[in-house]
Amino acid sequence: MKINSLFYCIWRICVIALLIISFAVPAHANNHSKQTFQKHLADVRGRIVGEDGRPLSGATVSIKGRKGAINTGADGEFILKELKGEVTIIVSYLGYKQREIRVSENSKDLLIKMELNDNTMEDVVVTGIFERKKEAFSGATKTINAEQIKEIGNKNVLQALKTLDPSLTFVDNNQFGSNPNSLARIELRGKTSISNNTNLGTFRDQLGVDPNMPLIILDGFESSLRQITDLDINRIASVTILKDASSTALYGAKSANGVIVVETVKPKQGQVMVSYNADVNFNIADLSDFNMMNSEEKLEFERLAGRFESPWTWHAHALTQFYNERLTEVRKGVNTYWLNEPIEKVAVENRHSIQVSGGTPEIQYSIGGNYQDINGVMKGSGRNNWGANVDLSYRKNRLNITNRVFASGYRSDESPYGSFSQFTRANPYYRKDRLNQPFLERAVTGFDQYRNVPNPMYNAMLNSYDYGNGLTISNNLGFNYDLNPSLRLSGGLQLSKGSNSNVSFLSPLNTYFEKTEQLLKGSYTNSSGEFFRYAGNLAATYSKRIQERHVVTGNLRADISQDKQSSRTFTAVGFPEGVEGNPAFSYTYEPNAKPYIFEPPLIRRLSALASFSYVYDNRYFIDGTYRLDGSTAFGTENKYSPFWAVGAGWSLHNEGFIKNNTDKINSLILRANIGTSGNQSFGSFLSANVYNLSPYSNYFGIGFIQNQIGNPMLEWQKTFQSSLGLELVMFENRLSSRINLYRKVTDPLIVAVDLPSSNGTASYPMNLGSLAINGMEVELGFSPIVNKARRIVWNVGLTGSLLKGKYGEFGSIINSLNDEQISSSSIQRYEEGRSPDDLWAYKSLGIDPSNGKEVFLTAADSYTYDYFEANYRVVGNARPMVEGVLSNNLRLKNFTLNASIRYNLGSSRFNNALYALTSRVLGCS
């Protein structure tokens, strides 16, 4: 009882003491404690709007480094509850650039304006179909922006790509030299198809498509190499190169050779802006490879070779007189260097471009034009390109509509001097000042036999010509509609129509008609073609972030297209001297010929595409693609074919054991993928029997001639690809490296094998053999100086690429194809275990001084004077052991200095121009 009373007394004393203390503390002290608490915990409100100022409903807002996220309401507003200290918030919305903003508990009424995604961000891969976040994409790609392209040069985008990415190879063909009207041959990570037929051409389809050419996409639709070559470089916003299965499977049957995606500049809102660009280039011919004899050396060479000897007295006397006439010219000092005659000392190129753009937040526009005047190195050759574009964009709430109209045209002129090889064959002891003489000499060739040597300068002065014109008009309509923050519908429609023509006239005075009867001298050829194409697509994209750690993206798309082409050609002959090339003055058509009309069947294509990607905690990601393609141009029994790809990656820089232990690594990503892609860029209608109308008619009507036996069981050519890549970026992006290993196996190939003449056609398409490519690419970059405050940046880079190819599983049936290569004097062969880039020739050991005969090395490594095609061997390989680019870029405020060197180690080059001077390859080094 006493204990309870004691506790009760103590409790009452404590209560009274607390009351006294509480009343004794000043009121402002209590308020101060309350204010201090509120200062560290406060609500932050904000509002997110688009470029047009309209609120963005459903935008995602999260705090960097923390779990969880919130979405904005219908008015674009959000509230961050009980924010403490300074943090970084991440704002993202479909179709807009992601933003990171520093805020604190003192921030009030934030207004965050989002920028539309203009497809030029470094962290986004533009595939031409869907956009993929670079850090969460397993494909091997290379994105190059407009600034990088212009730093390399101003000729065309392909020349820039050649310098900026080592995987892109331009196959040299020096027979065409610097002809501005010839197109480059491009390969991306090697070949996937047989390059059939001579060392100058390739196995092309009826539409003239190189089967090893990458697919080219311009603003979401398929384009041509010519259109990209002539495209104004100032209109280009970015170029993305898709290289492996994960990135190219989106295009299915046409993507085995890789894909080049070109995006042009889009209209932007703002005040009216006018931009004008002009540039000039100078080209000088390099003739250093032509080590020609002078007149004295050439005549002595002919004498030692027995050119002026004969066992018959009369003939020997004529040859001696012939030699003395040439010797007299040599002693008079005649020593003509013919190679300079058809060449311009300096060929000048001019380019001009103007763009006018502007608009309101709802409607933006861009109107422009360009003109290119390109003079070739050969006198009289050149090309004039022009283009015009009108781009319109409309944005309203969730709807975005774009329409682009592009027109382009050209005028091409070939040199009246003809082939450069005519001048390489002209002897130096001929005089060049005899412009009015059609022949340089009446040469003795045999017993009472003579041959007139044509004068190339005389032919060049005639009124002959060879020119072409072309016009293409395209309209691209596209739309995006955001059903909600996670789901977008998009679609596009392209209509494209074009025409081209080529007219050539060869004067009746040309020495080509020396032995032609009078009424057939002179020729006029007119070729023209037209095409019309439409392509449409409809797609849905779903992207959702779930509980901060999970990001799911899915895509569905359907495509349709149709191509129609036609061409017409006729040749008229027999022109009076002195008239222009008007067919009305001709005597008749070319003997045994009539106008040729080619109208291939319509090509229709249909495809369905599904793709997905999943990202977990910004560390692990997987993606997959499945596409089903169908085409009327392929096997009647195999009109549809599936293509697929799967890939995975690991963002190691987001792992705790790296993120928490070092701040030196900005990015470390491991990627891998496998899949299939196809090559339908060739072989149109190879599965069908093709008939031509006979050019002759009789009382029974017009007959049909079968010129192709189709193979209805022909399978689509597929390429299986696998790729492994590692990307590392360190020291605040100052050091970067990337390595990619890949393998491509095309099995089966499509080969046109010879048939017995009793079949009525020369070849038959078959699935035969395989081609395997193994390669590696390395890219290194370092910035020794980065001073953004003073705007001084110095970047150096080194890239390298190596690959090896090998044929397999041909069997003996390929012998007929090799026989064709031999008959056409080709330096290519098709043999199991050998590279498609091997150069084959009969190896020469030089001239035997004892008898003046040429010595050859047989396949058994023995010596012989006899020339047999069976002794052809591999004497070199056109593919380098390693090639790449060493680059150096220095920026000093508004001044930029760029120097790039493309190196090539361990390859052999075949000079077609020199090969034209002889009937056999004497050697290769």
Side-chain angles (χ1 to χ4, degrees), residues 694 696-703:
S694 171
Y696 307 103
S697 59
N698 51 42
Y699 294 106
F700 300 100
I702 298 177

Side-chain angles (χ1 to χ4, degrees), residues 409-661:
Y410 69 87
R411 158 76 185 231
S412 63
D413 289 278
E414 298 296 340
S415 173
Y417 286 78
S419 172
F420 182 70
S421 62
Q422 297 177 12
F423 293 85
T424 61
R425 290 194 296 264
N427 285 314
Y429 42 71
Y430 295 147
R431 295 178 180 266
K432 67 178 181 180
D433 54 359
R434 300 171 180 176
L435 300 181
N436 59 343
Q437 297 183 10
F439 300 102
L440 295 169
E441 180 184 62
R442 189 168 184 261
V444 179
T445 58
F447 184 76
D448 200 20
Q449 295 178 350
Y450 300 88
R451 179 180 65 87
N452 289 324
V453 179
N455 183 354
M457 294 297 293
Y458 170 83
N459 290 331
M461 299 298 110
L462 300 175
N463 62 339
S464 303
Y465 54 80
D466 186 350
Y467 69 88
N469 291 291
L471 173 65
T472 301
I473 300 177
S474 298
N475 188 93
N476 294 358
L477 175 66
F479 80 91
N480 294 324
Y481 183 75
D482 298 328
L483 295 174
N484 57 54
S486 301
L487 182 61
R488 165 179 287 183
L489 294 180
S490 61
L493 175 65
Q494 182 193 61
L495 301 176
S496 184
K497 184 174 178 59
S499 62
N500 61 79
S501 64
N502 190 86
V503 179
S504 63
F505 172 68
L506 197 60
S507 170
L509 298 176
N510 193 288
T511 56
Y512 174 81
F513 301 107
E514 176 191 2
K515 298 181 179 181
T516 304
E517 61 180 276
Q518 187 64 36
L519 293 179
L520 298 180
K521 289 186 177 182
S523 66
Y524 173 92
T525 301
N526 189 312
S527 302
S528 61
E530 295 180 346
F531 76 90
F532 176 75
R533 181 177 191 270
Y534 73 78
N537 60 75
L538 185 64
T541 300
Y542 177 82
S543 181
K544 184 73 172 179
R545 180 181 292 272
I546 304 173
Q547 296 180 352
E548 183 63 24
R549 288 175 175 256
H550 311 275
V551 178
V552 179
T553 303
N555 304 284
L556 296 174
R557 172 164 159 148
D559 288 79
I560 59 170
S561 66
Q562 175 179 292
D563 291 280
K564 181 179 181 181
Q565 297 200 11
S566 64
S567 62
R568 294 170 174 80
T569 302
F570 75 89
T571 299
V573 297
F575 288 84
E577 295 180 5
V579 303
E580 297 293 333
N582 189 331
F585 295 114
S586 66
Y587 177 74
T588 183
Y589 286 123
E590 193 175 17
N592 301 319
K594 290 184 177 181
Y596 175 76
I597 299 176
F598 178 61
E599 294 186 354
L602 292 175
I603 299 179
R604 294 188 175 96
R605 297 183 178 90
L606 175 67
S607 65
L609 169 69
S611 68
F612 78 94
S613 67
Y614 169 72
V615 182
Y616 174 73
D617 199 25
N618 290 327
R619 291 183 294 163
Y620 313 107
F621 56 89
I622 60 172
D623 50 48
T625 301
Y626 181 85
R627 175 163 173 149
L628 183 65
D629 277 323
S631 174
T632 59
F634 225 76
T636 55
E637 300 298 327
N638 297 284
K639 286 187 176 182
Y640 294 91
S641 183
F643 302 92
W644 58 272
V646 293
W650 183 12
S651 299
L652 288 92
H653 60 279
N654 287 328
E655 291 287 355
F657 60 84
I658 293 181
K659 191 174 184 180
N660 298 330
N661 291 296

Side-chain angles (χ1 to χ4, degrees), residues 292-469:
M292 311 297 290
M293 299 181 188
N294 60 32
S295 58
E296 185 176 355
E297 292 170 338
K298 181 59 165 54
L299 186 60
E300 180 65 9
F301 171 79
E302 293 175 358
R303 186 187 69 82
L304 294 175
R307 170 69 176 85
F308 306 104
E309 299 176 1
S310 175
W312 295 282
T313 304
W314 180 91
H315 189 213
H317 176 75
L319 288 174
T320 300
Q321 182 180 358
F322 183 45
Y323 168 76
N324 289 332
E325 291 175 355
R326 290 184 173 180
L327 182 61
T328 300
E329 290 294 287
V330 171
R331 289 179 175 176
K332 287 181 179 180
V334 177
N335 185 28
T336 303
Y337 188 69
W338 288 95
L339 273 61
N340 278 338
E341 298 307 312
I343 299 297
E344 295 279 6
K345 292 183 178 179
V346 179
V348 182
E349 301 180 12
N350 291 286
R351 291 177 171 83
H352 305 270
S353 174
I354 186 170
Q355 289 286 329
V356 180
S357 62
T360 65
E362 289 80 14
I363 299 177
Q364 299 89 44
Y365 65 87
S366 176
I367 303 173
N370 65 87
Y371 176 77
Q372 303 174 8
D373 182 11
I374 306 173
N375 293 309
V377 173
M378 288 284 288
K379 293 178 179 178
S381 67
R383 187 177 186 86
N384 300 110
N385 300 320
W386 63 268
N389 66 282
V390 178
D391 300 343
L392 298 174
S393 179
Y394 172 77
R395 298 188 181 103
K396 185 72 172 180
N397 297 331
R398 300 180 180 182
L399 178 64
N400 182 16
I401 300 176
T402 60
N403 192 80
R404 298 183 170 190
V405 180
F406 177 66
S408 63
Y410 69 87
R411 158 76 185 231
S412 63
D413 289 278
E414 298 296 340
S415 173
Y417 286 78
S419 172
F420 182 70
S421 62
Q422 297 177 12
F423 293 85
T424 61
R425 290 194 296 264
N427 285 314
Y429 42 71
Y430 295 147
R431 295 178 180 266
K432 67 178 181 180
D433 54 359
R434 300 171 180 176
L435 300 181
N436 59 343
Q437 297 183 10
F439 300 102
L440 295 169
E441 180 184 62
R442 189 168 184 261
V444 179
T445 58
F447 184 76
D448 200 20
Q449 295 178 350
Y450 300 88
R451 179 180 65 87
N452 289 324
V453 179
N455 183 354
M457 294 297 293
Y458 170 83
N459 290 331
M461 299 298 110
L462 300 175
N463 62 339
S464 303
Y465 54 80
D466 186 350
Y467 69 88
N469 291 291

Side-chain angles (χ1 to χ4, degrees), residues 768-781:
L768 180 68
S770 64
L771 175 59
I773 301 290
N774 296 303
M776 179 176 70
E777 298 164 1
V778 178
E779 297 182 35
L780 301 174

Side-chain angles (χ1 to χ4, degrees), residues 212-228:
N212 290 305
M213 181 74 68
L215 176 66
I216 298 176
I217 302 297
L218 176 61
D219 288 333
F221 293 95
E222 186 175 345
S223 185
S224 66
L225 180 63
R226 170 53 67 190
Q227 189 171 12
I228 296 300

